[in-house]
Amino acid sequence: MATYKLLLLPGDGIGPEVMAEVKRLIGWLDAQGIATFETEEGLVGGASYDADKVSITDATMAKALAADAVLFGAVGGPKWDPVPYDVRPEAGLLRLRKDLGLYANLRPAICYPALAESSSLKRDLVEGLDIMIVRELTGGVYFGEPKTITDLGNGQKRAIDTQVYDTYEIERIARVAFDLARKRRNKLTSMEKRNVMKSGVLWHEVVTQIHQREYKDVALDHQLADSGGMQLVRRPKQFDVIVTDNLFGDMLSDIAAMLTGSLGMLPSASLGDIDPKTGKRRALYEPVHGSAPDIAGQGAANPIAMMASFGMALRYSFDMGDLADKLDAAIAAVLAKRLRTADLKSEGSTVVSTSQMGEAIVKEIQALHA
């Protein structure tokens, strides 16, 4: 049986609490001989800054490069607001994405039947929702240069962020999205702002060309990103796979999160290219939610997104799709029994702690695997 190398980076706030539930599941899988994982842990974000005055050390980065996959919790919090910009907690995550070459961010938005009432939209709009947002992750305005604040004198300053995309960056993210669409409902929607942004004009042009050359069998449509956001809350089930740039993907995936009932429900995968020599691709898996410092240490965090992120690792890094399906089924079964963490509580539900939710999910997967 293969042994998989996992680097665990719990991070800040609720990150260590939700990561503990993944460690519970990994421990059970190892003990049962279902899979074998060799795990290491490292510091990232504010925790790394407190220890080493950087958001991630070179040594931890080397461990990430050597791992088969990285599991990441969350970073940041008011405690680190005063630290220098280049060592802010979020810089650790940005370095991981950049140095690992993780250009494709997959963010599924699935509404479990038991949680349809938790959505801010009507049940009939979200029940059965299953969409995938594919976000370009290493280009665009978050990485473009120049990125400056200039003192103009007379009490005036000028801030500059730069939106930059090259053809190859758009081509490779489009291929990831088209390939996913082929495995789902064969429908892709590309979102940009070609009406006001030159990068949007190029994005539209390149996606259209890739479609014509390589993916004519996939239905493709284009939407302006602001209109797409409106449609996500108007008729979300019209979408299957959405591909978009870094900035719009960040915003649209958070909108999609609330369709499912809570940010605590959404996992994500960040993928690089497949290594032609090993057949593996570098990957990082993380929940979409933040570090939630206001509830850290209270045992109130929802671990489902973190556990589902591990499920995506099983699917995309370790070729354990059947086990990933069982984990998804276990989560659905626990929710059907009306167990809820505080973010999902509703009338008639039983509110449980982070560890109780994690334990319940592990028990369900045990039953499914028996």
Side-chain angles (χ1 to χ4, degrees), residues 31 39 142 151 290 317 328:
T39 61
Y142 290 175
D151 192 333
S317 284
D328 289 342

Side-chain angles (χ1 to χ4, degrees), residues 54 99 109 224 243 317 336:
V54 292
D99 288 9
L224 298 178
V243 64
S317 284

